[in-house]
Amino acid sequence: MNGFFQRLQQLDPRRQQAFMAALCERLLPNYGLYAENSGEGNPHGLRVILDLVWEQLAVKEARIDFDRQAEKLAELEPPAEDDSFGARRALEAVVALSAILDTLRGEASEAVLEVSRASRSGVRAYIELTEGEEDAERLAALVRDHPLMADENDFQDAVLEALEAGPLDREALKALRRLGRNDGVSNLGLSVEE
């Protein structure tokens, strides 16, 4: 049985993009919370760009200028001087979406691994922040066994298995998108009040 990251790399580029899009869906609420709490950012702008990614995945003939979308996305990054926890999680959402845009523009072969790792590292940072364990070994065990990390790993496994299971048609894409939206709950177990 190949390892998780090997299996990810064996997916064709379109399936890798769908994997990243599903993960971005779970990262979006973190950006929304940051915007809500800081007054910075534009969650709607991020949503529009991610919707265009899903459209491109569903409609191969769609003509979307992803160079322009990348420019718009760059404007949505949290300010560089904001080093808050919320800004870093918001930046993960922007970076993950940027990685998909890079692949849609024909670059970034490692992007799918970067997005997977970024989502996991955000969960790890949240556990470290909320649990406040000083001892590195105990912290590593805590992170590994934490329900949020288990949920993140299960989620990524479920997305990968869905992508390996059969054709990536409109129904499969809709199911992946629903899975990624996770009822509006992010990979940190947080959601934005609608």
Side-chain angles (χ1 to χ4, degrees), residues 12-48:
D12 64 62
R14 189 162 164 263
R15 288 175 193 270
Q16 288 184 356
Q17 289 158 356
F19 178 88
M20 292 186 282
L23 265 61
C24 280
E25 287 289 350
R26 275 194 18 142
L27 293 172
L28 240 51
N30 296 335
Y31 184 95
L33 282 167
Y34 168 73
E36 195 176 85
N37 292 321
S38 70
E40 297 281 351
N42 175 359
H44 177 72
L46 234 61
R47 169 88 267 151
V48 167

Short mmCIF file of all heavy atoms in Angstrom, two decimals, residues 12-48:
data_model
loop_
_atom_site.label_atom_id
_atom_site.label_comp_id
_atom_site.label_asym_id
_atom_site.label_seq_id
_atom_site.Cartn_x
_atom_site.Cartn_y
_atom_site.Cartn_z
N ASP A 12 -3.88 12.27 -11.29
CA ASP A 12 -3.66 13.16 -12.43
C ASP A 12 -3.87 14.61 -11.98
O ASP A 12 -4.49 14.85 -10.93
CB ASP A 12 -4.57 12.78 -13.62
CG ASP A 12 -6.04 12.96 -13.31
OD1 ASP A 12 -6.47 14.11 -13.05
OD2 ASP A 12 -6.78 11.95 -13.33
N PRO A 13 -3.36 15.59 -12.74
CA PRO A 13 -3.42 16.99 -12.29
C PRO A 13 -4.83 17.47 -11.95
O PRO A 13 -5.01 18.18 -10.95
CB PRO A 13 -2.85 17.76 -13.49
CG PRO A 13 -1.93 16.79 -14.15
CD PRO A 13 -2.56 15.44 -13.96
N ARG A 14 -5.82 17.06 -12.70
CA ARG A 14 -7.20 17.51 -12.43
C ARG A 14 -7.69 16.99 -11.08
O ARG A 14 -8.32 17.71 -10.31
CB ARG A 14 -8.12 17.05 -13.56
CG ARG A 14 -9.50 17.64 -13.49
CD ARG A 14 -10.22 17.51 -14.84
NE ARG A 14 -11.64 17.71 -14.63
CZ ARG A 14 -12.52 16.73 -14.47
NH1 ARG A 14 -12.14 15.46 -14.53
NH2 ARG A 14 -13.79 16.99 -14.27
N ARG A 15 -7.38 15.75 -10.78
CA ARG A 15 -7.78 15.18 -9.48
C ARG A 15 -7.01 15.84 -8.35
O ARG A 15 -7.55 16.06 -7.27
CB ARG A 15 -7.57 13.66 -9.47
CG ARG A 15 -8.60 12.94 -10.33
CD ARG A 15 -8.32 11.45 -10.43
NE ARG A 15 -9.12 10.86 -11.49
CZ ARG A 15 -10.34 10.36 -11.31
NH1 ARG A 15 -10.89 10.36 -10.11
NH2 ARG A 15 -11.02 9.87 -12.31
N GLN A 16 -5.74 16.16 -8.58
CA GLN A 16 -4.98 16.89 -7.57
C GLN A 16 -5.62 18.26 -7.31
O GLN A 16 -5.73 18.69 -6.17
CB GLN A 16 -3.52 17.08 -8.01
CG GLN A 16 -2.72 15.80 -7.98
CD GLN A 16 -1.25 16.03 -8.32
OE1 GLN A 16 -0.82 17.13 -8.65
NE2 GLN A 16 -0.46 14.97 -8.24
N GLN A 17 -6.06 18.91 -8.38
CA GLN A 17 -6.72 20.22 -8.22
C GLN A 17 -8.02 20.08 -7.44
O GLN A 17 -8.33 20.91 -6.59
CB GLN A 17 -6.96 20.85 -9.60
CG GLN A 17 -5.67 21.30 -10.26
CD GLN A 17 -5.78 21.44 -11.77
OE1 GLN A 17 -6.81 21.13 -12.38
NE2 GLN A 17 -4.70 21.89 -12.39
N ALA A 18 -8.75 19.02 -7.70
CA ALA A 18 -10.00 18.79 -6.96
C ALA A 18 -9.71 18.53 -5.48
O ALA A 18 -10.43 19.00 -4.60
CB ALA A 18 -10.77 17.61 -7.57
N PHE A 19 -8.64 17.80 -5.20
CA PHE A 19 -8.22 17.55 -3.82
C PHE A 19 -7.93 18.88 -3.13
O PHE A 19 -8.42 19.15 -2.03
CB PHE A 19 -6.98 16.64 -3.79
CG PHE A 19 -6.45 16.37 -2.41
CD1 PHE A 19 -6.93 15.30 -1.67
CD2 PHE A 19 -5.47 17.18 -1.85
CE1 PHE A 19 -6.45 15.04 -0.40
CE2 PHE A 19 -4.98 16.93 -0.57
CZ PHE A 19 -5.48 15.86 0.16
N MET A 20 -7.15 19.72 -3.79
CA MET A 20 -6.79 21.02 -3.20
C MET A 20 -8.02 21.90 -3.01
O MET A 20 -8.14 22.60 -2.01
CB MET A 20 -5.74 21.73 -4.06
CG MET A 20 -4.40 21.03 -4.06
SD MET A 20 -3.11 21.95 -4.94
CE MET A 20 -3.52 21.60 -6.63
N ALA A 21 -8.93 21.86 -3.98
CA ALA A 21 -10.15 22.68 -3.88
C ALA A 21 -10.99 22.25 -2.68
O ALA A 21 -11.52 23.09 -1.95
CB ALA A 21 -10.96 22.59 -5.18
N ALA A 22 -11.09 20.94 -2.46
CA ALA A 22 -11.85 20.44 -1.30
C ALA A 22 -11.20 20.91 0.00
O ALA A 22 -11.89 21.33 0.94
CB ALA A 22 -11.94 18.91 -1.35
N LEU A 23 -9.86 20.87 0.06
CA LEU A 23 -9.18 21.35 1.26
C LEU A 23 -9.37 22.85 1.44
O LEU A 23 -9.55 23.33 2.56
CB LEU A 23 -7.68 21.00 1.22
CG LEU A 23 -7.32 19.69 1.94
CD1 LEU A 23 -8.00 18.49 1.34
CD2 LEU A 23 -5.81 19.50 1.98
N CYS A 24 -9.35 23.59 0.34
CA CYS A 24 -9.58 25.04 0.42
C CYS A 24 -10.96 25.36 0.99
O CYS A 24 -11.11 26.32 1.74
CB CYS A 24 -9.42 25.69 -0.95
SG CYS A 24 -7.72 25.98 -1.41
N GLU A 25 -11.94 24.54 0.63
CA GLU A 25 -13.29 24.76 1.17
C GLU A 25 -13.25 24.75 2.70
O GLU A 25 -13.92 25.53 3.36
CB GLU A 25 -14.27 23.68 0.68
CG GLU A 25 -14.67 23.79 -0.77
CD GLU A 25 -15.59 24.97 -1.07
OE1 GLU A 25 -16.09 25.63 -0.13
OE2 GLU A 25 -15.81 25.25 -2.26
N ARG A 26 -12.44 23.83 3.26
CA ARG A 26 -12.35 23.73 4.73
C ARG A 26 -11.49 24.82 5.34
O ARG A 26 -11.57 25.07 6.53
CB ARG A 26 -11.80 22.36 5.14
CG ARG A 26 -12.91 21.35 5.20
CD ARG A 26 -12.63 20.07 5.87
NE ARG A 26 -11.53 19.89 6.76
CZ ARG A 26 -11.60 19.16 7.87
NH1 ARG A 26 -12.74 18.62 8.23
NH2 ARG A 26 -10.53 18.97 8.61
N LEU A 27 -10.64 25.45 4.52
CA LEU A 27 -9.80 26.53 5.03
C LEU A 27 -10.51 27.89 4.97
O LEU A 27 -10.18 28.80 5.73
CB LEU A 27 -8.50 26.61 4.22
CG LEU A 27 -7.55 25.42 4.36
CD1 LEU A 27 -6.40 25.52 3.37
CD2 LEU A 27 -7.02 25.32 5.78
N LEU A 28 -11.50 28.00 4.09
CA LEU A 28 -12.17 29.29 3.89
C LEU A 28 -12.80 29.88 5.16
O LEU A 28 -12.68 31.08 5.39
CB LEU A 28 -13.23 29.17 2.79
CG LEU A 28 -13.03 30.09 1.58
CD1 LEU A 28 -11.63 29.99 1.01
CD2 LEU A 28 -14.06 29.82 0.51
N PRO A 29 -13.46 29.08 6.01
CA PRO A 29 -14.03 29.68 7.23
C PRO A 29 -12.98 30.33 8.13
O PRO A 29 -13.27 31.31 8.81
CB PRO A 29 -14.71 28.49 7.94
CG PRO A 29 -15.01 27.52 6.84
CD PRO A 29 -13.87 27.67 5.86
N ASN A 30 -11.74 29.81 8.11
CA ASN A 30 -10.69 30.43 8.92
C ASN A 30 -10.41 31.85 8.42
O ASN A 30 -10.21 32.77 9.22
CB ASN A 30 -9.40 29.60 8.87
CG ASN A 30 -9.58 28.23 9.49
OD1 ASN A 30 -10.44 28.02 10.34
ND2 ASN A 30 -8.76 27.28 9.07
N TYR A 31 -10.40 32.01 7.11
CA TYR A 31 -10.20 33.34 6.52
C TYR A 31 -11.38 34.24 6.89
O TYR A 31 -11.20 35.40 7.26
CB TYR A 31 -10.07 33.22 4.99
CG TYR A 31 -9.76 34.53 4.31
CD1 TYR A 31 -8.43 34.87 4.01
CD2 TYR A 31 -10.76 35.41 3.95
CE1 TYR A 31 -8.13 36.07 3.39
CE2 TYR A 31 -10.46 36.62 3.33
CZ TYR A 31 -9.15 36.94 3.05
OH TYR A 31 -8.85 38.14 2.43
N GLY A 32 -12.59 33.68 6.82
CA GLY A 32 -13.79 34.44 7.16
C GLY A 32 -13.77 34.92 8.61
O GLY A 32 -14.13 36.07 8.89
N LEU A 33 -13.33 34.05 9.51
CA LEU A 33 -13.23 34.44 10.93
C LEU A 33 -12.21 35.54 11.13
O LEU A 33 -12.42 36.47 11.90
CB LEU A 33 -12.87 33.23 11.79
CG LEU A 33 -14.02 32.28 12.07
CD1 LEU A 33 -13.50 30.97 12.65
CD2 LEU A 33 -15.02 32.92 13.03
N TYR A 34 -11.08 35.42 10.43
CA TYR A 34 -10.05 36.45 10.53
C TYR A 34 -10.61 37.80 10.05
O TYR A 34 -10.45 38.82 10.72
CB TYR A 34 -8.83 36.06 9.69
CG TYR A 34 -7.86 37.21 9.52
CD1 TYR A 34 -7.08 37.65 10.57
CD2 TYR A 34 -7.74 37.87 8.30
CE1 TYR A 34 -6.20 38.71 10.44
CE2 TYR A 34 -6.87 38.94 8.14
CZ TYR A 34 -6.11 39.36 9.21
OH TYR A 34 -5.25 40.41 9.07
N ALA A 35 -11.31 37.77 8.91
CA ALA A 35 -11.87 39.01 8.36
C ALA A 35 -12.89 39.61 9.32
O ALA A 35 -12.91 40.82 9.55
CB ALA A 35 -12.51 38.72 7.00
N GLU A 36 -13.72 38.73 9.90
CA GLU A 36 -14.76 39.18 10.83
C GLU A 36 -14.13 39.82 12.08
O GLU A 36 -14.60 40.84 12.57
CB GLU A 36 -15.59 37.96 11.22
CG GLU A 36 -16.90 38.26 11.88
CD GLU A 36 -17.65 36.96 12.13
OE1 GLU A 36 -17.40 36.32 13.18
OE2 GLU A 36 -18.48 36.58 11.27
N ASN A 37 -13.06 39.23 12.57
CA ASN A 37 -12.45 39.70 13.82
C ASN A 37 -11.48 40.84 13.64
O ASN A 37 -11.23 41.60 14.58
CB ASN A 37 -11.75 38.53 14.53
CG ASN A 37 -12.75 37.52 15.04
OD1 ASN A 37 -13.83 37.88 15.52
ND2 ASN A 37 -12.43 36.25 14.93
N SER A 38 -10.90 40.98 12.44
CA SER A 38 -9.86 41.99 12.24
C SER A 38 -10.33 43.16 11.38
O SER A 38 -9.70 44.21 11.36
CB SER A 38 -8.64 41.37 11.57
OG SER A 38 -8.95 41.03 10.22
N GLY A 39 -11.42 42.95 10.62
CA GLY A 39 -11.85 43.97 9.67
C GLY A 39 -11.00 43.98 8.41
O GLY A 39 -11.18 44.81 7.53
N GLU A 40 -10.05 43.05 8.31
CA GLU A 40 -9.18 42.94 7.11
C GLU A 40 -9.71 41.82 6.22
O GLU A 40 -10.33 40.90 6.69
CB GLU A 40 -7.74 42.58 7.53
CG GLU A 40 -7.05 43.61 8.39
CD GLU A 40 -6.52 44.79 7.60
OE1 GLU A 40 -6.53 44.75 6.35
OE2 GLU A 40 -6.09 45.76 8.24
N GLY A 41 -9.38 41.90 4.94
CA GLY A 41 -9.68 40.79 4.04
C GLY A 41 -11.06 40.88 3.43
O GLY A 41 -11.86 41.75 3.75
N ASN A 42 -11.32 39.95 2.52
CA ASN A 42 -12.57 39.92 1.77
C ASN A 42 -12.93 38.46 1.49
O ASN A 42 -12.54 37.91 0.46
CB ASN A 42 -12.38 40.71 0.45
CG ASN A 42 -13.59 40.62 -0.45
OD1 ASN A 42 -14.58 39.96 -0.15
ND2 ASN A 42 -13.50 41.27 -1.59
N PRO A 43 -13.69 37.84 2.41
CA PRO A 43 -14.04 36.43 2.23
C PRO A 43 -14.81 36.18 0.93
O PRO A 43 -14.62 35.14 0.29
CB PRO A 43 -14.94 36.11 3.44
CG PRO A 43 -14.59 37.15 4.45
CD PRO A 43 -14.18 38.37 3.69
N HIS A 44 -15.63 37.15 0.52
CA HIS A 44 -16.40 36.97 -0.72
C HIS A 44 -15.45 36.86 -1.92
O HIS A 44 -15.66 36.05 -2.82
CB HIS A 44 -17.38 38.13 -0.92
CG HIS A 44 -18.13 38.03 -2.22
ND1 HIS A 44 -19.10 37.08 -2.43
CD2 HIS A 44 -18.01 38.73 -3.38
CE1 HIS A 44 -19.57 37.21 -3.68
NE2 HIS A 44 -18.91 38.20 -4.27
N GLY A 45 -14.39 37.67 -1.90
CA GLY A 45 -13.41 37.62 -2.99
C GLY A 45 -12.76 36.24 -3.10
O GLY A 45 -12.58 35.71 -4.20
N LEU A 46 -12.43 35.66 -1.96
CA LEU A 46 -11.84 34.32 -1.93
C LEU A 46 -12.84 33.28 -2.45
O LEU A 46 -12.50 32.40 -3.23
CB LEU A 46 -11.44 33.96 -0.49
CG LEU A 46 -10.01 33.52 -0.26
CD1 LEU A 46 -9.03 34.60 -0.66
CD2 LEU A 46 -9.79 33.10 1.17
N ARG A 47 -14.08 33.42 -2.00
CA ARG A 47 -15.15 32.49 -2.42
C ARG A 47 -15.32 32.51 -3.94
O ARG A 47 -15.44 31.47 -4.57
CB ARG A 47 -16.45 32.92 -1.72
CG ARG A 47 -17.71 32.27 -2.19
CD ARG A 47 -18.01 30.98 -1.46
NE ARG A 47 -17.45 29.88 -2.22
CZ ARG A 47 -17.03 28.74 -1.67
NH1 ARG A 47 -17.07 28.55 -0.39
NH2 ARG A 47 -16.55 27.78 -2.40
N VAL A 48 -15.31 33.72 -4.52
CA VAL A 48 -15.49 33.84 -5.97
C VAL A 48 -14.37 33.11 -6.72
O VAL A 48 -14.62 32.37 -7.68
CB VAL A 48 -15.54 35.33 -6.39
CG1 VAL A 48 -15.41 35.49 -7.90
CG2 VAL A 48 -16.83 35.97 -5.90
#
